[in-house]
Amino acid sequence: MRMIVRGARLLHTSGLSEPSGLSEPSGLSEPSGLSEPSGLSEPSGLSDVEVGEDGRIARVIPYDDQKEPPATGILIEAHGGLLTAPFVEPHIHLDTALTAGEPRPNTSGTLWEGIACWSERKRTLTREDVIARATEVLRWQAAHGVLHVRTHCDVTDPSLTALDALLEVRDRVRDVMNLQIVAFPQEGIVSFPDGEALLREAIARGADVVGAIPHFEDTREDGVASLRTAFALAEEHGLRVDAHCDEIDDEQSRFVEVLATLALRSGLRERATASHTTAMGSYNGAYSFKLQRLLSRSGINLVANPFANLNLQGRFDAYPKRRGLTQVREMLAAGVNVAFGHDDVMDPWNALGTANPLQTALVGLYAAQLTGADDIPVAFSMVTDRAARVLGLGADEYGITAGAPASFVLLPAPSPEEAIRRQVRPRHVVSRGSVLAETPPTPTRLSWPGEPPSDVDFTRRLR
């Protein structure tokens, strides 16, 4: 064996190819049973995972503490830690990352000023600049256990500098990480000069996914036309669609129904994703009921981005101020696949961030009120299994099963709930049978009055 992980609690993934629970919603009553479609089973009893020389999982067998560890190969003692398939980032912008304050800060904090700041910054882009920033954030993600990433890349730069740079980065990291690139027309397809031509050129150069931004187009008619163009290109080239959709507080912004209908009638279905959909937080109950039924039938994915959505939306409201998040609970209950993305890392739309998926899950579960005992594992699945569905990862690419790539994350926690609550850092990140990152234990030493010094690990113990 190349590697053996001993004594781990396995978190299994299942059903990546087809989101379960696609039945029509029964109504707008309080959702229940949200954990059912997550694709995650409860952590099992302790197991050993054996990795072959080919970098794939050879066997998963019950742990025997009386059995001697192997004399050869890499040995990782899990000590009951949680072994999960890698974290998946379904929505980030690597081309804009680490540009916060350049050329000026976003003083209003709005989405629109962020776009204006970026429009100025992208005039100064160079290949070396984009490669350096994108690679640095990918290093952060790898350290957090993220091994599958979908990045959006602005293709309304006539030179396509950022796209060419990210294509080069994709080739550089392919041995350790899977990077998908969305050709994202930040300033529009129809309303931007040569928008469609640039989108076509981006696809020709090697973009993996077709993007759109219908609510940013000049008119609703332009927005609909932009989605039709995106779907036509996806069908022509056999690609997926991932559109920034209804990222605005305007309750009249309803492009997600257009996207879902195109996905349903074209047959793209789960190959289409609507990202953000923050206007959904402003829709009335009657329309929301209709939308739940449509999205459930269509099979599309939704990606909510809690950091950016909470930060950018509601900026034009007095009080009460809208939360700026899509209908996460309701869409989960309707059987729609919903994932959480980080979106921005130190850029004009979010000056903070470390690309940590457990932070995304924590903020997302509070924002979407997924705090019930059965809900918290769902938030974990939204940065693992559900996010993997967005990227179209199959069982042969993702999961802890014999024959799958030996890519996984060992967390020093017994369950998804504890991993999120304590925001643990991965003890080991393994990519295709090789250790990519290690974090040594670093307990906090506390000298409490009347007691000898002891470690604090934020685990509940009754005294």
Side-chain angles (χ1 to χ4, degrees):
M1 290 294 106
R2 183 181 201 173
M3 173 188 296
I4 296 183
V5 182
R6 296 184 75 234
R9 298 182 188 275
L10 301 191
L11 192 59
H12 295 288
T13 58
S14 62
L16 289 177
S17 60
E18 178 84 22
S20 58
L22 288 180
S23 59
E24 295 182 8
S26 58
L28 294 177
S29 58
E30 185 69 16
S32 61
L34 292 185
S35 60
E36 181 182 354
S38 71
L40 297 179
S41 64
E42 290 296 319
S44 61
L46 300 187
S47 300
D48 291 352
V49 176
E50 298 180 349
V51 177
E53 288 294 341
D54 60 356
R56 292 185 173 270
I57 296 174
R59 290 198 304 168
V60 179
I61 58 177
Y63 170 64
D64 181 359
D65 61 355
Q66 301 301 313
K67 183 179 178 181
E68 287 294 320
T72 61
I74 299 172
L75 173 64
I76 297 176
E77 294 284 3
H79 301 295
L82 185 67
L83 194 71
T84 176
F87 292 113
V88 178
E89 176 51 71
H91 189 115
I92 197 169
H93 293 258
L94 293 177
D95 58 333
T96 69
L98 310 185
T99 62
E102 301 173 0
R104 57 186 175 85
N106 181 350
T107 55
S108 69
T110 63
L111 171 69
W112 313 107
E113 186 177 357
I115 293 174
C117 291
W118 171 244
S119 293
E120 297 173 32
R121 175 61 171 83
K122 71 181 177 183
R123 296 172 196 155
T124 66
L125 291 179
T126 65
R127 168 184 166 276
E128 295 76 16
D129 165 43
V130 176
I131 289 175
R133 290 184 289 101
T135 302
E136 184 65 13
V137 175
L138 286 172
R139 286 166 53 86
W140 296 359
Q141 290 179 307
H144 288 308
V146 180
L147 298 183
H148 301 276
V149 177
R150 175 178 285 183
T151 180
H152 294 253
C153 178
D154 185 0
V155 294
T156 54
D157 164 23
S159 67
L160 296 178
T161 300
L163 176 70
D164 288 341
L166 287 180
L167 289 170
E168 187 171 338
V169 171
R170 184 181 66 185
D171 289 337
R172 290 186 183 186
V173 304
R174 68 169 62 253
D175 289 339
V176 292
M177 298 179 75
N178 166 37
L179 180 61
Q180 289 185 3
I181 301 173
V182 182
F184 170 48
Q186 174 73 78
E187 300 188 56
I189 298 173
V190 177
S191 307
F192 184 76
D194 297 323
E196 182 177 345
L198 286 168
L199 188 56
R200 286 184 176 276
E201 178 61 23
I203 294 168
R205 294 191 189 189
D208 303 289
V209 184
V210 184
I213 185 168
H215 58 280
F216 193 78
E217 302 280 358
D218 289 342
T219 66
R220 174 169 175 78
E221 290 74 19
D222 285 351
V224 172
S226 74
L227 285 175
R228 291 189 183 280
T229 297
F231 272 83
L233 288 171
E235 289 185 90
E236 179 183 345
H237 296 279
L239 302 179
R240 297 175 180 270
V241 171
D242 190 336
H244 283 55
C245 196
D246 302 319
E247 189 185 2
I248 189 171
D249 290 320
D250 180 11
E251 68 279 2
Q252 297 302 312
S253 185
R254 297 183 174 187
F255 290 105
V256 68
E257 69 179 11
V258 180
L259 186 149
T261 302
L262 290 171
L264 179 60
R265 294 178 184 174
S266 68
L268 284 179
R269 293 179 59 83
E270 72 279 356
R271 294 174 63 84
T273 297
S275 291
H276 293 293
T277 63
T278 57
M280 205 182 292
S282 299
Y283 294 161
N284 62 60
Y287 180 68
S288 295
F289 178 81
K290 172 208 169 182
L291 196 62
Q292 288 173 23
R293 180 175 178 274
L294 171 59
L295 267 58
S296 176
R297 288 167 51 225
S298 74
I300 70 166
N301 307 286
L302 297 180
V303 175
N305 298 290
F307 292 108
N309 297 157
L310 291 171
N311 179 45
L312 297 174
Q313 303 306 313
R315 290 282 182 165
F316 298 101
D317 290 352
Y319 285 93
K321 190 179 289 287
R322 281 169 286 191
R323 300 172 62 86
L325 206 67
T326 193
Q327 297 181 18
V328 174
R329 285 188 64 90
E330 292 77 9
M331 289 301 167
L332 285 169
V336 178
N337 184 45
V338 187
F340 283 147
H342 202 294
D343 197 13
D344 304 299
V345 179
M346 297 183 68
D347 70 8
W349 299 276
N350 177 19
L352 306 176
T354 64
N356 184 349
L358 284 179
Q359 284 187 351
T360 306
L362 180 66
V363 173
L365 74 85
Y366 275 116
Q369 298 180 328
L370 297 173
T371 51
D374 294 334
D375 300 344
I376 296 175
V378 180
F380 190 90
S381 78
M382 291 167 76
V383 294
T384 51
D385 179 51
R386 288 181 174 274
R389 292 181 192 161
V390 173
L391 271 64
L393 303 178
D396 59 336
E397 301 173 275
Y398 189 85
I400 304 178
T401 56
S407 298
F408 42 73
V409 180
L410 178 62
L411 299 171
S415 67
E417 296 91 330
E418 281 296 285
I420 293 175
R421 183 184 71 83
R422 291 194 276 128
Q423 291 289 288
V424 299
R425 297 173 64 188
R427 188 64 50 82
H428 289 86
V429 178
V430 174
S431 175
R432 302 173 190 176
S434 297
V435 176
L436 185 62
E438 286 184 78
T439 304
T442 54
T444 298
R445 196 74 171 165
L446 180 69
S447 296
W448 195 249
E451 298 181 6
S454 60
D455 293 343
V456 175
D457 61 4
F458 305 99
T459 298
R460 180 170 59 181
R461 296 184 179 90
L462 298 179
R463 298 173 64 84

